[in-house]
Amino acid sequence: MTSPRFPRRPGVAAAALPRTAAAATAGAATAPGVTIHVSPRGSDRAPGTSARPLLTLQAAQEMARVAARTEAGPVKVVVHGGTYHMKKTLTFGVEDSGTATAPVSYEAAPGETVVLSGGRMLRPEWREYLGGIMVADIGTGLDFDGLFLNGERQTLARYPSYDPTAQILGGTAADAISAARVATWRNPTTGLVRALHEGEWGGNSYKITGVNEDGTPQLEWVGDNNRGSGMHRTHRMVENVFEELNAPGEWFYDKDAGKLYFYPPEGTDLALARIETAELNELIHVEGEGPDKPVAHLTFSGFTFTQTHRTLFNTPYEKLQLGDWAIARTGAVYLRNTECITVEGSFFDQLGGNAVFMDGFNRRNTVTGNEFSHSGASDIAIVGRPDAVREPSTWDAFRTSIGDTTPGPQSENYPREITVSDNHMHDNGQFEKQTSNVQISMSSRITVKGNTMHDGPRACVNINDGTWGGHLIEDNSIFNAVKETSDHGPFNSWGRDRWWPLDADDATKRRCAKLDAIETIVIRHNRIWHHSAWDIDLDDGSSNYLIENNLLLNGGVKLREGFYRTVRNNIFVNGGAHFHVWFADCGDVVETNVFVTGDPYDLIGVDIAKSKPVIDKNLFWADGEPVRDISDSWRAQGLDVNSVVADPEFSGSTPFSDPKKLDYTVTDGSPALALGFRNIPMDGFGKPATPTPPPLTWQAAAPVDPYEALAEPLWGAAVTMVYSEQVKSSTGLTDHDGLVLATVPADSYAYQQGLRANDVIREIDGTKVTDRNSFWRPYTKLPAGSEITLTLWRNQAAATLTVHKPAGVETVNNTAATAFTGTWGFSAGRGLGDLADDVHYTTADGASASLTFHGTGIEVLGEKHSDQGNVEIFVDATSQGVVDTTSPTRQVQQVIFSAEGLTPGEHTVQLVKRSGTYATLDGFRIHGQYDR
């Protein structure tokens, strides 16, 4: 599709060469060896000299194979300027290898643009069809899903029409596949549907295979997400439907009739236009015979790779471990069983799928000095094979025990010691939405260094699992990520390795945490900007990380549910540290950081006393405003005891007055230095002469509804609604439905019944729980001792738990199933000793509150004070008289009414304000009787 792009740089093939690579090329020219020339004006009967070049790359490859066997020096294939429309993938095997002293290289001639295209040149004879749409006969049975006009990708006919200002999928519509719309299509089975995942965790895509009786389309999921096939209700679009061809730039190919329909952009002269297709999935395929017999010492340099077929609808997807990714194991440049392969100084332009894919065994390969622009999927994917993983888990086959406790991999089928450096990578994920600039899975010691990465639908760097660590993410500039999805960071990781799904205690999980994450992953000296909460998102079990010397702009770091993470000597500007769902004795350290924010910490599902982190020697500054979390109670837990709230004294302007500021050097007198902080070099981020992050966006914290955020009592535990995106993220939900068990003390009745912290109650006896009322209203009507079936969301999977409602007296909060009429207010965080530290109150005479419950007695809890008056109490619509709630002093959690000896069964108690300034309601004590 057409979208804003960075302009091509003249002479990109030569200009993009790193200095070291250029020097090596110059040196090779004088060393003994063979140089073979290829040109669009050559002949495959020529000798391959500069004066008489070959015509095709295939002929040059045959000649290079012979030279590699017979010559002692380097073998160089120099490809001269022009576009090479490749009829088939250029495949390299062991016979194409070089050696360390006599490498083999394929390189664009200096200063010349060499394009390797996966499509064909069309020469259509256009005629007018209808309303500005042109048609041409190009032949039947062609397999392409990309059309290019003068080198620019055009838009496959779609609804809604492509909108360059629309953030998601170029525009979406809830009715994209409605029965009414499908009814207007002559042949729905050409249609393809692209959408976001229902939780906005990447994308989900489908082929239309027919039409159901109700007129809706039959959909075949292509499998492009590891977290299920659920489609977002509104973020969806449909394409490749002839009737939707109605906007400039759109096209449609009738494969059976052999007709190409095209609505050319305004001002296009089709008589002079260059029309090309996208047909091949891969342009270069390099594959050795195995880890013991790889293709080695081969270089590809200075090419433009473009116009490959989208792999979204023609290649099977494989689910990767327990991460969110499913992936098509293919790319424009595909490497498997290789060693010392270099891809350098090249331009990867508008590819249909992945640009570079390293599959299984790959060692000491390098991808450097390239530009990746508008890839259909990921720019670089480095992915091992499942047979290298000991006891892998997938969402379809979830292990809860460990039999093999041997650390590390069990086969050689994984990439290791790979370097990705000095690249400019932008606008990836044009079609697939579970994509990144660099994707790492089942790999070891991957270095991602000095790259500029920006503008993609998901993370720029994603580590799908902890196997096997040792990666270095350093000196990168990363920004404008996660533009089309949610619950993600510009750097994202999961650590769902052998230990994570274990049905075991925290101590056992800690002992097993490094079975797969055997080496520390280092994230060092990066500049990362994000539009949301966390720049670095260590999600679900990510363990064994060192995060240091990073400049984190507009976001922070999330540490969720893992072990052994150290966050030190970073600068957080307009962001903080998010601690989610920590284990006991987690081993986490947060020290000597500078936090430029008034809200440095966000804790969800964390018991500090249990998790025992080291958090100290940090500096906090909010331009003189209060810093929320650094309180006496926080320090009393041994946290930030030696930290300070003080101006860090940055050189030059402050970020509060200059949101474009990128230099955060602290001056010599900075109090941060006294805490042990050391200045971070403010240069060396990313590839030189590439774009930089946008300004900070100082925004007020998203408001939190105190009613939704209230932690109310349930069986000695505390439950809340799913009141924020952070809580939703911490639970791994796709929506905000349910009640979250925020804390579950080990001595509570809830714990005895099998509930655990971070469980989400999604159903009670088959009734969906969307908020607290949808739980409490059926609950309070159940007899004491009743068996209850709860559907839970636990460890990101549905579970069922049978529990029993406690017998005897149960205290419930004023928020539990109470129905209010008239005008009532809600006050939380009062600090006066109320039940759950909250009350409902009214100033309106006649306003009422009622609770329907099952039991033999009831007590109504409220407040007594001088500004209160009389309330009338009703039980089962019968007045029990007026109660005076006045008192010269404030008294909280007072029993303002009680009734006992009620007939066992369902009753309703009601409180009605009659006089005074206020009436308050604080809760109820229900006297239950077990109906045997």
Side-chain angles (χ1 to χ4, degrees):
M1 62 189 178
T2 306
S3 55
R5 301 180 58 247
F6 286 82
R8 287 185 174 87
R9 301 188 302 278
V12 65
L17 277 173
R19 183 178 179 183
T20 54
T25 302
T30 59
V34 173
T35 299
I36 302 164
H37 291 266
V38 182
S39 170
R41 292 162 294 281
S43 168
D44 284 349
R45 291 190 294 272
T49 62
S50 177
R52 299 180 61 200
L54 297 167
L55 175 63
T56 66
L57 291 166
Q58 286 81 4
Q61 181 185 28
E62 291 298 326
M63 191 175 289
R65 286 174 174 171
V66 174
R69 292 194 305 268
T70 59
E71 301 294 331
V75 176
K76 209 166 40 163
V77 176
V78 176
V79 186
H80 291 272
T83 298
Y84 296 76
H85 291 99
M86 302 176 67
K87 295 181 180 179
K88 62 180 182 179
T89 301
L90 191 61
T91 300
F92 294 83
V94 175
E95 63 272 26
D96 295 290
S97 293
T99 65
T101 57
V104 175
S105 64
Y106 288 72
E107 55 192 67
E112 300 182 32
T113 299
V114 179
V115 178
L116 303 185
S117 166
R120 75 179 69 200
M121 180 80 76
L122 298 178
R123 291 175 175 81
E125 295 183 4
W126 298 105
R127 59 187 184 274
E128 189 169 345
Y129 173 70
L130 183 67
I133 299 173
M134 306 298 288
V135 62
D137 295 305
I138 64 170
T140 62
L142 301 182
D143 181 12
F144 67 93
D145 72 346
L147 189 74
F148 288 77
L149 170 66
N150 296 328
E152 295 294 330
R153 180 190 283 139
Q154 302 300 291
T155 303
L156 188 56
R158 54 168 284 166
Y159 173 78
S161 295
Y162 178 72
D163 178 359
T165 68
Q167 180 172 322
I168 298 173
L169 291 165
T172 59
D175 70 339
I177 52 174
S178 65
R181 188 149 213 102
V182 173
T184 67
W185 303 340
R186 179 176 55 85
N187 183 9
T189 60
T190 64
L192 305 169
V193 178
R194 292 190 286 122
L196 290 192
H197 181 274
E198 61 184 343
E200 300 182 4
W201 300 336
N204 266 325
S205 305
Y206 314 80
K207 299 176 184 177
I208 298 178
T209 59
V211 179
N212 297 310
E213 291 184 2
D214 64 359
T216 59
Q218 296 172 357
L219 300 176
E220 177 186 319
W221 179 44
V222 302
D224 53 332
N225 199 298
N226 201 2
R227 300 303 299 274
S229 60
M231 185 193 303
H232 199 279
R233 287 175 290 182
T234 58
H235 292 314
R236 51 179 67 177
M237 55 81 71
V238 64
E239 63 188 5
N240 203 37
V241 175
F242 176 69
E243 287 78 9
E244 302 300 349
L245 200 169
N246 57 12
E250 291 190 347
W251 65 276
F252 178 83
Y253 171 54
D254 186 333
K255 192 172 185 177
D256 294 332
K259 295 183 184 297
L260 175 64
Y261 297 86
F262 184 38
Y263 192 151
E266 186 176 352
T268 301
D269 186 345
L270 286 180
L272 301 177
R274 188 174 81 253
I275 305 293
E276 296 164 286
T277 62
E279 301 187 20
L280 295 180
N281 283 359
E282 298 178 354
L283 300 176
I284 291 177
H285 184 107
V286 185
E287 184 168 357
E289 297 177 13
D292 58 342
K293 200 170 183 180
V295 182
H297 300 287
L298 186 59
T299 293
F300 301 95
S301 178
F303 297 106
T304 294
F305 298 95
T306 190
Q307 297 169 348
T308 55
H309 198 291
R310 295 189 303 182
T311 50
L312 183 56
F313 295 104
N314 75 355
T315 304
Y317 280 81
E318 176 188 323
K319 296 180 178 182
L320 298 182
Q321 293 291 94
L322 282 171
D324 285 5
W325 278 58
I327 201 160
R329 287 185 181 266
T330 185
V333 175
Y334 173 89
L335 308 175
R336 185 179 184 191
N337 294 327
T338 73
E339 188 168 16
C340 299
I341 305 298
T342 298
V343 179
E344 63 183 10
S346 293
F347 183 29
F348 291 82
D349 180 32
Q350 303 176 92
L351 296 164
N354 302 308
V356 176
F357 199 104
M358 298 191 201
D359 183 0
F361 176 81
N362 288 272
R363 180 165 55 195
R364 293 196 290 274
N365 293 343
T366 299
V367 181
T368 186
N370 306 284
E371 180 177 352
F372 296 81
S373 176
H374 293 78
S375 298
S378 291
D379 292 330
I380 301 173
I382 304 169
V383 183
R385 289 273 168 167
D387 64 33
V389 182
R390 298 179 188 276
E391 299 193 345
S393 268
T394 66
W395 293 105
D396 300 326
F398 204 75
R399 293 177 180 267
T400 58
S401 62
I402 294 178
D404 184 348
T405 57
T406 305
Q410 66 176 356
S411 82
E412 292 295 313
N413 279 331
Y414 66 95
R416 76 291 302 270
E417 300 169 34
I418 307 297
T419 298
V420 177
S421 64
D422 195 38
N423 300 289
H424 182 199
M425 315 165 84
H426 58 89
D427 297 281
N428 74 289
Q430 292 290 299
F431 305 116
E432 301 183 36
K433 301 305 173 184
Q434 193 70 271
T435 56
S436 59
N437 299 120
V438 181
Q439 158 68 350
I440 300 169
S441 177
M442 297 176 282
S443 299
S444 174
R445 299 182 183 178
I446 310 302
T447 295
V448 182
K449 181 179 177 65
N451 305 283
T452 297
M453 297 177 268
H454 59 93
D455 289 282
R458 208 97 171 103
C460 288
V461 178
N462 185 79
I463 297 179
N464 184 77
D465 39 74
T467 51
W468 286 272
H471 313 312
L472 174 62
I473 316 299
E474 182 178 44
D475 299 339
N476 300 288
S477 178
I478 301 174
F479 56 94
N480 284 358
V482 199
K483 292 178 67 175
E484 299 183 62
T485 59
S486 71
D487 193 8
H488 216 54
F491 174 91
N492 183 83
S493 66
W494 296 287
R496 300 167 180 156
D497 306 317
R498 268 179 282 180
W499 69 270
W500 186 75
L502 277 181
D503 184 10
D505 57 30
D506 291 2
T508 300
K509 290 185 175 183
R510 175 173 173 153
R511 287 195 300 271
C512 297
K514 293 185 180 181
L515 291 180
D516 294 303
I518 54 178
E519 294 184 277
T520 302
I521 296 173
V522 178
I523 305 175
R524 181 171 63 207
H525 192 250
N526 301 281
R527 182 179 63 203
I528 308 178
W529 181 100
H530 191 35
H531 58 77
S532 190
W534 34 78
D535 296 313
I536 296 175
D537 185 353
L538 302 193
D539 214 346
D540 298 351
S542 298
S543 297
N544 200 4
Y545 274 79
L546 170 61
I547 301 171
E548 65 178 359
N549 298 341
N550 298 286
L551 176 58
L552 304 176
L553 301 172
N554 230 48
V557 171
K558 182 172 83 177
L559 304 178
R560 178 195 160 115
E561 200 180 42
F563 296 97
Y564 312 112
R565 285 84 59 95
T566 295
V567 180
R568 70 182 179 209
N569 214 81
N570 303 282
I571 297 177
F572 295 74
V573 187
N574 197 25
H578 301 260
F579 308 145
H580 291 186
V581 197
W582 275 3
F583 295 112
D585 297 311
C586 64
D588 286 350
V589 176
V590 180
E591 63 184 6
T592 61
N593 301 285
V594 173
F595 291 91
V596 186
T597 176
D599 188 15
Y601 298 138
D602 174 51
L603 280 69
I604 298 175
V606 173
D607 182 341
I608 287 290
K610 180 180 174 183
S611 54
K612 299 178 183 177
V614 174
I615 304 177
D616 203 7
K617 298 180 182 178
N618 299 296
L619 182 143
F620 309 93
W621 183 241
D623 202 25
E625 297 297 317
V627 176
R628 190 193 67 167
D629 300 296
I630 310 308
S631 61
D632 290 342
S633 61
W634 179 255
R635 295 181 192 270
Q637 299 178 80
L639 306 168
D640 285 309
V641 173
N642 298 294
S643 301
V644 299
V645 177
D647 187 342
E649 301 178 12
F650 296 121
S651 61
S653 59
T654 75
F656 302 100
S657 63
D658 180 11
K660 296 181 180 179
K661 180 181 177 68
L662 292 178
D663 186 346
Y664 285 86
T665 304
V666 303
T667 58
D668 290 345
S670 169
L673 299 174
L675 295 171
F677 176 82
R678 294 294 176 263
N679 262 317
I680 300 169
M682 289 294 150
D683 57 3
F685 295 119
K687 182 179 178 67
T690 54
T692 55
L696 298 171
T697 52
W698 290 101
Q699 298 177 358
V704 174
D705 186 326
Y707 175 79
E708 293 187 358
L710 180 77
E712 59 187 343
L714 173 65
W715 301 352
V719 297
T720 76
M721 293 173 60
V722 186
Y723 60 85
S724 70
E725 286 297 315
Q726 286 82 359
V727 173
K728 176 185 165 189
S729 172
S730 72
T731 58
L733 288 169
T734 62
D735 54 44
H736 289 267
D737 291 343
L739 288 186
V740 182
L741 277 291
T743 58
V744 184
D747 59 353
S748 66
Y749 184 73
Y751 192 93
Q752 295 166 18
Q753 290 292 297
L755 289 166
R756 296 295 181 264
N758 220 46
D759 283 350
V760 185
I761 300 174
R762 302 278 280 180
E763 291 182 5
I764 175 171
D765 285 338
T767 298
K768 185 176 181 179
V769 176
T770 58
D771 58 10
R772 57 167 45 93
N773 282 332
S774 57
F775 170 79
W776 285 109
R777 283 175 181 161
Y779 175 84
T780 56
K781 295 177 184 179
L782 292 172
S786 293
E787 184 176 274
I788 306 172
T789 300
L790 298 178
T791 300
L792 305 176
W793 185 250
R794 172 180 287 177
N795 294 334
Q796 302 191 40
T800 300
L801 182 67
T802 300
V803 298
H804 290 85
K805 187 174 181 179
V809 177
E810 183 176 9
T811 302
V812 298
N813 197 47
N814 45 286
T815 54
T818 308
F820 297 92
T821 62
T823 303
W824 286 80
F826 175 74
S827 179
R830 297 186 351 135
L832 299 175
D834 305 300
L835 178 66
D837 200 24
D838 79 300
V839 295
H840 274 89
Y841 65 90
T842 183
T843 59
D845 288 349
S848 68
S850 61
L851 175 75
T852 299
F853 65 96
H854 193 288
T856 59
I858 190 72
E859 299 173 36
V860 180
L861 305 179
E863 181 180 285
K864 293 183 177 181
H865 196 215
S866 59
D867 56 5
Q868 302 215 151
N870 292 332
V871 295
E872 186 173 3
I873 305 295
F874 295 80
V875 174
D876 298 332
T878 300
S879 177
Q880 307 297 305
V882 172
V883 177
D884 181 4
T885 63
T886 60
S887 170
T889 59
R890 187 184 303 276
Q891 300 178 40
V892 298
Q893 285 202 57
Q894 295 298 298
V895 178
I896 60 175
F897 171 79
S898 65
E900 295 186 33
L902 301 177
T903 302
E906 195 172 293
H907 301 279
T908 299
V909 62
Q910 182 183 39
L911 175 153
V912 182
K913 181 181 182 296
R914 296 302 186 195
S915 66
T917 303
Y918 292 99
T920 60
L921 178 65
D922 195 16
F924 304 90
R925 294 193 187 114
I926 301 170
H927 295 238
Q929 177 174 313
Y930 185 19
D931 291 351
R932 295 184 182 274

